[in-house]
Amino acid sequence: MPAACDSLLEDIEDIVSAQDVKPHDRKFVRKNVVPKVRKRNSQKNVQEDDDPPSDSIIPGVQKIWIRTWGCSHNNSDGEYMAGQLAAYGYKITENAAEADLWLLNSCTVKNPAEDHFRNSIKKAQENDKKVVLAGCVPQAQPRQDYLKGLSIIGVQQIDRVVEVVEETIKGHSVRLLGQKKDNGKRLGGARLDLPKIRKNPLIEIISINTGCLNACTYCKTKHARGDLASYPIEELVDRAKQSFQEGVCEIWLTSEDTGAYGRDIGTDLPTLLWKLVEVIPEGAMLRLGMTNPPYILEHLEEMAKILNHSRVYAFLHIPVQSASDSILMDMKREYCVADFKRVVDFLKEKVPGITIATDIICGFPGETDEDFQDTMKLVEEYKFPSLFINQFYPRPGTPAAKIHQVPALVKKQRTKDLSQLFHSYNPYDHKVGERQRVLVTEESFDSQFYVAHNRFYEQVLVPKDPDFMGTMVEVDIYEAGKHFMKGQPVSDAGVFTPSITRPLAKGEVSGLTEKFRYVLENGLRLKACPSAGIREKASSSSTAMHLPWQQRGGRLKMISVSLLLLAVLLTFYYGGV
């Protein structure tokens, strides 16, 4: 049984030394080996237990708690890691206290998110939990003091999460932070056909690319995600098809900048979107992710046509960050306020009713009162229904952190002033009395309503009728708030179900091949299978294969299968038992 190791390993394979005696060599060195027979325990009453004994370090049977912070791209990564771990037999739990290992998937955009991440690490250590770190924080700054001695899995290495978790449970510290490349060209990341557990079985999050083409002076995410790397169109379309076959009725496209998609592989975002629209079932919907102004300017005509499509939400997230050209220049945003206005004005004209969401940073270094008032005027002019207001936080290692900072009290006051302006208008009051068709996909935070979205991705709360979940429903709007409307289902209207099959149950693993399912159901050893996302790997003491155990098999079943495998190995290595 391997002992804990203080030294860091660059890769799993480093655990096995090149000088170690191989099983094949051992066979010929020791020709006459007679295995000893261990006496059976004479206990009469052996209690079966679904969980392994407390001192067991058999990989694949532990409970794992996963916490994700940040954007939808990060959430998608978390879903993929959960799916792979569950597929190999680990139990994903929502109870942090009962978990054997915490997988913490971090966000590096703002200081508070990293503070929560750091505090969670400390809490895990105080509670003697094994810890694996993921996401943008350790990828961008793996040598920070509070990360020392902990296992890390990089943002492009999430397809190896099982290996990292397995070795961490054994007491090793493993770090995989490399980039995926093909013939020297950087790839988008892990494969899209890996098993995953969707947080919401009705919503599939697809990362169409990773990284970006910008070099914003305040951004730490660039240090983690790197330059633009796009997935091929055919892979993205295949992932969408698979999702619909598993009961998904809404797809979110995400990345650090969806508008830049394809520039590194000779294609563009509109080309991808038209291909995706072809495979979306009637009644299901597609939501576009964030795009920066420079890259959508080239495709305004095509984007307007796509956003008018019946299976695409008329919604677009376009961050402006500031309405001062001098601040935008200091941020290196590569556009001016006029560019942003041109995009918004064109889409509002060509896509009537479109929802434009935007972001604003308050208190960027060098921002004057005049600069901030320009931003206030922009919000007054457009009255954005969805506005993400962020107080500036200097992130370590970014150029903006080295510029003379706006005083903290000034930043706080500007954030407060902008928030008050945003809450001074109600964007949905004029929609009371309308009849809308909405897609129901989730439950409200207070569990009092189901949450649906209309054609413009505006939130509509509807009664909690189980028949509505995952369906299109016609409602009459009878109330409006700042962030939502309330709708009463029309009594004589039919309920339309867009999904082409029954959705997966909550917590069920998506994307399992028939071979993968057979192994999990029978508790057998699996050969390396690239199509199932399974590989041969080295353990800490031999070249044994990874053995996925069936979680519900119980302790006795594990012991029986272990003895059977031992007999097979002895036969192979020593010529017979």
Side-chain angles (χ1 to χ4, degrees), residues 428 451-454 457-461 483-486:
Y428 306 130
V451 178
H453 291 91
N454 61 17
Y457 202 69
E458 296 163 335
Q459 184 171 277
V460 180
L461 305 180
H483 302 286
F484 65 88
M485 291 170 276
K486 290 183 180 179

Side-chain angles (χ1 to χ4, degrees), residues 168-237:
T168 302
I169 286 172
K170 292 177 180 178
H172 301 129
S173 179
V174 183
R175 295 191 169 196
L176 301 180
L177 294 166
Q179 302 290 327
K180 292 192 180 298
K181 295 183 179 180
D182 182 19
N183 294 324
K185 183 177 177 61
R186 186 168 178 267
L187 300 177
R191 297 198 326 271
L192 296 172
D193 60 352
L194 295 170
K196 75 188 302 186
I197 295 178
R198 299 185 183 95
K199 186 177 180 181
N200 184 336
L202 297 174
I203 297 176
E204 167 71 4
I205 306 173
I206 302 180
S207 302
I208 63 175
N209 55 267
T210 188
C212 68
L213 294 173
N214 296 338
C216 299
T217 57
Y218 57 83
C219 183
K220 190 70 178 175
T221 305
K222 176 77 172 187
H223 297 187
R225 298 283 182 177
D227 293 327
L228 179 70
S230 305
Y231 286 98
I233 288 179
E234 56 271 18
E235 291 183 20
L236 295 165
V237 172

Side-chain angles (χ1 to χ4, degrees), residues 98-110:
E98 73 172 12
D100 302 292
L101 179 143
W102 288 11
L103 174 54
L104 304 176
N105 188 20
S106 62
C107 171
T108 192
V109 172
K110 294 189 287 188

Side-chain angles (χ1 to χ4, degrees), residues 319-338:
V320 65
Q321 305 299 7
S322 174
S324 165
D325 284 342
S326 63
I327 294 299
L328 291 176
M329 185 177 297
D330 289 341
M331 291 179 173
K332 290 193 175 180
R333 291 291 290 168
E334 299 185 10
Y335 59 87
C336 61
V337 179

Side-chain angles (χ1 to χ4, degrees), residues 108-120:
T108 192
V109 172
K110 294 189 287 188
N111 289 11
E114 183 170 352
D115 290 341
H116 286 304
F117 174 62
R118 185 188 295 107
N119 291 337
S120 294

Side-chain angles (χ1 to χ4, degrees), residues 289-307:
M290 185 272 289
T291 176
N292 283 311
Y295 306 112
I296 195 175
L297 274 169
E298 300 176 18
H299 308 298
L300 283 179
E301 291 282 355
E302 282 301 296
M303 289 302 298
K305 293 176 184 176
I306 291 166
L307 291 167

Side-chain angles (χ1 to χ4, degrees), residues 48-336:
E48 289 194 25
D49 188 358
D50 284 342
D51 295 324
S54 59
D55 61 346
S56 170
I57 60 165
I58 300 172
V61 297
Q62 287 76 16
K63 295 177 181 178
I64 298 176
W65 179 65
I66 301 176
R67 173 73 192 274
T68 294
W69 293 266
C71 65
S72 54
H73 192 165
N74 227 32
N75 276 276
S76 176
D77 287 352
E79 291 180 348
Y80 274 120
M81 289 189 284
Q84 293 171 85
L85 291 167
Y88 273 88
Y90 291 101
K91 181 179 179 182
I92 308 302
T93 178
E94 295 183 0
N95 186 343
E98 73 172 12
D100 302 292
L101 179 143
W102 288 11
L103 174 54
L104 304 176
N105 188 20
S106 62
C107 171
T108 192
V109 172
K110 294 189 287 188
N111 289 11
E114 183 170 352
D115 290 341
H116 286 304
F117 174 62
R118 185 188 295 107
N119 291 337
S120 294
I121 294 173
K122 183 178 179 181
K123 186 175 180 180
Q125 293 170 329
E126 289 172 350
N127 288 276
D128 295 323
K129 305 292 185 182
K130 300 287 188 180
V131 182
V132 171
L133 308 178
C136 292
V137 171
Q139 178 73 54
Q141 288 185 295
R143 292 180 176 85
Q144 293 188 84
D145 287 342
Y146 73 93
L147 304 181
K148 286 183 178 178
L150 299 175
S151 290
I152 295 175
I153 183 162
V155 295
Q156 285 212 324
Q157 299 291 332
I158 60 171
D159 55 340
R160 301 184 68 181
V161 65
V162 173
E163 300 172 64
V164 175
V165 165
E166 185 174 284
E167 295 304 330
T168 302
I169 286 172
K170 292 177 180 178
H172 301 129
S173 179
V174 183
R175 295 191 169 196
L176 301 180
L177 294 166
Q179 302 290 327
K180 292 192 180 298
K181 295 183 179 180
D182 182 19
N183 294 324
K185 183 177 177 61
R186 186 168 178 267
L187 300 177
R191 297 198 326 271
L192 296 172
D193 60 352
L194 295 170
K196 75 188 302 186
I197 295 178
R198 299 185 183 95
K199 186 177 180 181
N200 184 336
L202 297 174
I203 297 176
E204 167 71 4
I205 306 173
I206 302 180
S207 302
I208 63 175
N209 55 267
T210 188
C212 68
L213 294 173
N214 296 338
C216 299
T217 57
Y218 57 83
C219 183
K220 190 70 178 175
T221 305
K222 176 77 172 187
H223 297 187
R225 298 283 182 177
D227 293 327
L228 179 70
S230 305
Y231 286 98
I233 288 179
E234 56 271 18
E235 291 183 20
L236 295 165
V237 172
D238 286 345
R239 182 67 202 182
K241 287 179 180 177
Q242 177 190 326
S243 302
F244 292 125
Q245 290 168 359
E246 294 174 337
V248 163
C249 61
E250 186 171 289
I251 284 184
W252 298 356
L253 299 186
T254 184
S255 76
E256 283 63 59
D257 187 351
T258 58
Y261 170 79
R263 285 171 171 257
D264 57 320
I265 57 173
T267 186
D268 54 44
L269 181 61
T271 303
L272 167 65
L273 296 177
W274 284 124
K275 290 291 185 182
L276 285 172
V277 164
E278 293 176 3
V279 302
I280 301 175
E282 185 65 35
M285 297 297 290
L286 175 69
R287 192 196 80 173
L288 301 185
M290 185 272 289
T291 176
N292 283 311
Y295 306 112
I296 195 175
L297 274 169
E298 300 176 18
H299 308 298
L300 283 179
E301 291 282 355
E302 282 301 296
M303 289 302 298
K305 293 176 184 176
I306 291 166
L307 291 167
N308 274 308
H309 196 284
S310 62
R311 295 193 286 276
V312 179
Y313 285 117
F315 166 89
L316 203 57
H317 180 192
I318 314 171
V320 65
Q321 305 299 7
S322 174
S324 165
D325 284 342
S326 63
I327 294 299
L328 291 176
M329 185 177 297
D330 289 341
M331 291 179 173
K332 290 193 175 180
R333 291 291 290 168
E334 299 185 10
Y335 59 87
C336 61

